[in-house]
Amino acid sequence: MPIEQQRLPRFAVLIDADNTSPQIAAGLFEEIAKLGEASVRRIYGDFSGPQLKSWAEILQKHAIDPYQQFAYTKGKNASDIALVIDAMDLLHSGRFDGFCLVSSDSDFTRLASRLREQGADVYGFGTQKTPESFRQACRRFIYTENLLPETAPTSSEDSKPKSLQQPSSAVPILKKAVSQLDSEEGWVSLSTVGKQLTNLVSDFDVRTYGFKKLSDLVRKTNIFDVENADGGQMRIRLKPKTISATKR
C-alpha cells in the first residue's frame, strides 16, 4: 500500500487591503507556501473606489476572494471589523491550523492574541513600521519589505537581498540566543540557534540584514567561530576575545 502523504498545515490568509501594498502579493504567497497551504485567501476593503484599483487588478491571478466593505462613514473601518468576525468564524470551524494576518495595523493585536490562545498559529505580515504590540502577538512576523520583487542583479554582489538594517544590529540578539543554549566549550548547532532566534523575537529574519542564510549573517558579524561538525552540521560559538570583552 502506498504511504499516505502527510497533509500540509492549512492556513486562512486574511488581508487588510487598506494597509497592504499589492506589490507584495507574489512574495506573500511564496512565503506562506513555506509554512503550509493557503486554503482560504480573503482580502477586505472598499474596492468601489480608485484607492484599491491596483489590488483589484491582481485578485484573480492569486485566487484572492475580495470582501467588499463600503466606507459609509469616514473614520470608521468596516473592513477591520469584517476581518475580525471572519477570523473568529473560521477559527471555530476547526478546519484551520493557523492564520496569516496581513496588515500593519495594531488594531489586530488582540485578534492575534485571541487566535493563539485557542491554539492556532498566527503569522503576521506587515511593514517595519508595524507597532511592536502586533508583531509580538504573532508566532512569527515577516516584514513585507522583504517580500517585494527583486530587481535584476547587475553583479553577484547585487544578488543579495536589500538590507533593511545593518548586520551589526543583529549582534545583541545573536549573542543572546547563543548564550541561552549552553553547551560544552560553547559550541551550539546553527540550526538550533535559528529556532531560538524566532522564539526570542517574532520578527527575526536574515533578509532584514541583507542575507539569504543565517550562516552568512553570522560570519559577517565577525564575532563567532564557525565550523562544520561531524555529520556536516554547522555549529558556532562566540570567539574567545568576544567572551572576555563581554565579561568585563
Side-chain angles (χ1 to χ4, degrees):
M1 274 182 80
I3 299 174
E4 186 177 347
Q5 188 175 5
Q6 186 176 4
R7 182 177 65 81
L8 292 172
R10 300 182 66 190
F11 288 94
V13 183
L14 308 178
I15 305 170
D16 173 13
D18 294 322
N19 284 286
T20 306
S21 167
Q23 294 180 16
I24 64 125
L28 170 68
F29 289 107
E30 285 178 15
E31 192 73 17
I32 293 171
K34 299 175 186 177
L35 308 171
E37 176 189 345
S39 301
V40 164
R41 305 178 180 201
R42 298 181 183 178
I43 189 167
Y44 301 80
D46 186 357
F47 299 96
S48 63
Q51 294 88 348
L52 301 182
K53 184 175 182 293
S54 52
W55 262 118
E57 291 172 348
I58 63 169
L59 296 180
Q60 187 174 8
K61 178 181 179 181
H62 297 286
I64 307 171
D65 293 327
Y67 278 63
Q68 171 67 31
Q69 301 297 321
F70 292 102
Y72 293 114
T73 308
K74 190 175 181 180
K76 301 293 184 182
N77 199 336
S79 298
D80 288 5
I81 297 171
L83 191 155
V84 171
I85 291 173
D86 280 6
M88 297 311 295
D89 285 344
L90 292 168
L91 171 69
H92 291 301
S93 73
R95 295 183 291 119
F96 300 93
D97 301 292
F99 291 80
C100 297
L101 304 180
V102 189
S103 179
S104 303
D105 192 340
S106 63
D107 288 348
F108 294 112
T109 301
R110 182 57 189 139
L111 173 62
S113 299
R114 185 72 179 85
L115 293 171
R116 292 190 72 185
E117 286 171 7
Q118 289 296 115
D121 286 332
V122 178
Y123 294 86
F125 296 81
T127 66
Q128 273 200 298
K129 295 180 180 178
T130 304
E132 185 178 10
S133 58
F134 180 35
R135 301 200 313 264
Q136 296 304 323
C138 301
R139 176 182 176 182
R140 188 173 169 223
F141 194 90
I142 295 97
Y143 291 135
T144 50
E145 290 92 341
N146 289 326
L147 305 180
L148 291 169
E150 294 181 16
T151 55
T154 56
S155 68
S156 58
E157 194 65 26
D158 291 334
S159 65
K160 296 192 306 180
K162 184 179 179 181
S163 61
L164 305 177
Q165 295 182 32
Q166 291 299 314
S168 57
S169 62
V171 168
I173 187 63
L174 287 170
K175 289 170 71 173
K176 186 173 183 179
V178 170
S179 68
Q180 292 181 350
L181 299 168
D182 282 337
S183 66
E184 290 185 20
E185 300 179 350
W187 289 104
V188 291
S189 162
L190 185 64
S191 61
T192 305
V193 172
K195 292 175 184 176
Q196 185 67 4
L197 285 167
T198 54
N199 288 336
L200 286 171
V201 186
S202 65
D203 57 358
F204 181 84
D205 191 328
V206 294
R207 292 172 296 187
T208 299
Y209 306 97
F211 295 93
K212 294 182 178 179
K213 296 180 181 178
L214 179 58
S215 57
D216 292 335
L217 171 60
V218 167
R219 287 191 176 97
K220 182 66 176 178
T221 63
N222 203 33
I223 65 167
F224 294 97
D225 291 321
V226 182
E227 71 169 28
N228 287 320
D230 295 337
Q233 261 204 342
M234 191 173 291
R235 63 179 190 171
I236 67 173
R237 70 176 178 183
L238 276 170
K239 289 182 177 180
K241 62 180 181 181
T242 308
I243 297 172
S244 300
T246 304
K247 289 181 178 178
R248 285 177 191 170

